[in-house]
Amino acid sequence: YNLAYAWIIPAAVYMMIRFYRKQGYLLSVLFGIMVFWAMGKHIYFIILIGAPWGIYWLALLIRSRKLYGKTGFLIPHILVQMIIPFVLFSILAGSQDAVVDRTAYPWGFFPSTTRWVSVFLPLGKPYAMWLKVGPPKTTGYVGIVSALVFVATVTIIIIKLIRKGFGPAFTTDDKFIVNILLGAAALSLFLALGYPFYWNPVWLNYAGPLRQFRAIGRFVLPFYYLINIYTFYMLWKWYSDSGKSWFAYLLASALLVSGLEAWVAIKPWPSIYYNTFENLNDRENELPANRWVKNHDWSEYQAIMPMPYYHIGSENYWLNDHSPAIEESYIASLKTGLPLNSVMMSRTSISQT
């Protein structure tokens, strides 16, 4: 649940926009501190932030002379914002972990990609069977407004590509930072869908640390924020350029629709995640299903061995990943305080299996 600190992504985008406008070491230090803290919450944040950040800095370095008249002064900021925090975190994390034989190919890379339906169509609707919805953890419906703006943007890019060529086609706005954010959004969606690895799975062998980011569909998180930021900036720009009073009503309607969709999407989740296990909520063990807890002295036991036994861990050895004892064994462990000798933890050390 540490990935629930989703505000980190729009905060990083905001700080990148601020840095684009006015460079300063204070901002870079704050960015680096946030990245270091975010990695402490979940290491995935280094990749979720790092992919848009990489596109952002690549674009800045390419255009630095035109934007700022020089290039070299940007290098220390790159080090402070991302490289130094990552190195420090790696040293600290590595010093506390003596295990060196975790799998380099954790399960779930391709099954955990997102789907177009999960991003651009309303959730929970009975779509055609060929419109596959991705896993819940890779779902990131951007809203009908952003979906329409995305389609409009792609259409405009294709038309400009045909008429004007490659360069002008991908310049969707006269502000360079807007084009950078759109490029970062496109890369995030591209990766969330599993590309380019779907084209040739062998390429995954050369992906390095990205292989450990096995739920690749989570790149839908930065795409969600980036495309919505882009959408409402473009709507505001179109309104400003149009000079039409009716466009103000269109912009207000877009905000209202997006807010309503967000509320409808979020509303059911508290009840879904609320713990509704009656046996687990029975703390005094008064229910018939829990009275067995009081009938034994659990200090005489060392551990619980579930039957049928299950072991899902090292990615090299799996057993009974759908065992009917999984749920009950966890409840028994919580009730008695005894550990389980079964495993359900990905990337478990092979030598510790």
Side-chain angles (χ1 to χ4, degrees), residues 88 90 104 131 175 227 270:
L88 288 176
S90 298
L131 292 175
K175 292 186 181 298
I227 199 62

Side-chain angles (χ1 to χ4, degrees), residues 5-20 27-28 30-38 45-54 56-57 81-82 177 180-181 184 221-222 225-226 229:
Y5 291 91
W7 60 265
I8 292 171
I9 297 173
V13 173
Y14 173 74
M15 295 173 78
M16 287 189 283
I17 294 173
R18 288 289 303 271
F19 183 87
Y20 170 80
L27 187 58
S28 289
L30 291 174
F31 191 96
I33 292 173
M34 185 186 72
V35 168
F36 185 83
W37 178 83
F45 277 121
I46 187 65
I47 303 178
L48 294 175
I49 297 173
W53 180 87
Y56 167 85
W57 272 103
Q81 288 185 17
M82 189 69 71
I177 185 64
I180 294 176
L181 294 180
L221 291 175
Y225 288 106
L226 288 165
I229 292 170

Side-chain angles (χ1 to χ4, degrees), residues 284-301 332 335-336 338:
E284 302 301 323
N285 301 313
E286 300 294 340
L287 293 175
N290 289 333
R291 289 173 185 168
W292 59 271
V293 178
K294 299 179 179 180
N295 296 336
H296 301 275
D297 180 7
W298 299 110
S299 64
E300 298 180 358
Y301 299 85
K335 291 286 187 182
T336 62
L338 294 173

Side-chain angles (χ1 to χ4, degrees), residues 94-331:
S95 66
Q96 303 300 316
D97 186 3
V99 177
V100 296
D101 61 343
R102 302 188 193 279
T103 178
Y105 291 84
W107 179 89
F109 192 92
F110 289 109
S112 296
T113 56
T114 193
R115 305 292 189 273
W116 293 96
V117 176
S118 303
V119 178
F120 293 110
L121 292 180
L123 305 176
K125 305 299 180 182
Y127 299 113
M129 291 298 295
W130 55 273
L131 292 175
K132 300 295 183 180
V133 177
K137 62 186 175 184
T138 64
T139 296
Y141 174 51
V142 298
I144 192 65
V145 175
S146 292
L148 292 173
V149 170
F150 178 82
V151 171
T153 300
V154 171
T155 303
I156 291 170
I157 289 174
I158 293 173
I159 293 173
K160 291 173 69 174
L161 186 63
I162 295 172
R163 293 180 177 178
K164 299 182 179 181
F166 186 84
F170 293 93
T171 304
T172 60
D173 188 73
D174 55 359
K175 292 186 181 298
F176 185 59
I177 185 64
V178 176
N179 298 314
I180 294 176
L181 294 180
L182 181 61
L187 173 66
S188 299
L189 178 61
F190 190 70
L191 291 170
L193 291 166
Y195 298 107
F197 307 106
Y198 263 131
W199 293 333
N200 188 350
V202 174
W203 293 344
L204 191 58
N205 295 332
Y206 308 100
L210 187 61
R211 290 196 304 267
Q212 293 295 334
F213 192 69
R214 61 191 182 98
I216 194 72
R218 285 196 174 110
F219 271 112
V220 77
L221 291 175
F223 175 76
Y224 173 89
Y225 288 106
L226 288 165
I227 199 62
N228 273 286
I229 292 170
Y230 169 83
T231 291
F232 284 96
Y233 167 79
M234 293 304 294
L235 287 175
W236 174 82
K237 184 176 183 297
W238 293 338
Y239 160 67
S240 300
D241 293 344
S242 70
K244 305 291 185 181
S245 59
W246 60 264
F247 211 103
Y249 296 103
L250 180 61
L251 181 58
S253 298
L255 288 169
L256 181 62
V257 169
S258 295
L260 179 62
E261 281 196 306
W263 178 76
V264 170
I266 292 172
K267 184 181 178 181
W269 286 104
S271 60
I272 292 173
Y273 278 112
Y274 174 71
N275 179 17
T276 55
F277 291 101
E278 186 178 8
N279 292 350
L280 195 57
N281 286 337
D282 176 27
R283 295 180 180 274
E284 302 301 323
N285 301 313
E286 300 294 340
L287 293 175
N290 289 333
R291 289 173 185 168
W292 59 271
V293 178
K294 299 179 179 180
N295 296 336
H296 301 275
D297 180 7
W298 299 110
S299 64
E300 298 180 358
Y301 299 85
Q302 293 179 312
I304 297 174
M305 183 174 185
M307 299 297 288
Y309 185 74
Y310 59 89
H311 187 291
I312 306 98
S314 73
E315 323 282 337
N316 292 68
Y317 178 79
W318 281 38
L319 183 68
N320 290 335
D321 54 328
H322 296 292
S323 169
I326 292 176
E327 181 181 303
E328 295 300 328
S329 65
Y330 277 111
I331 293 177

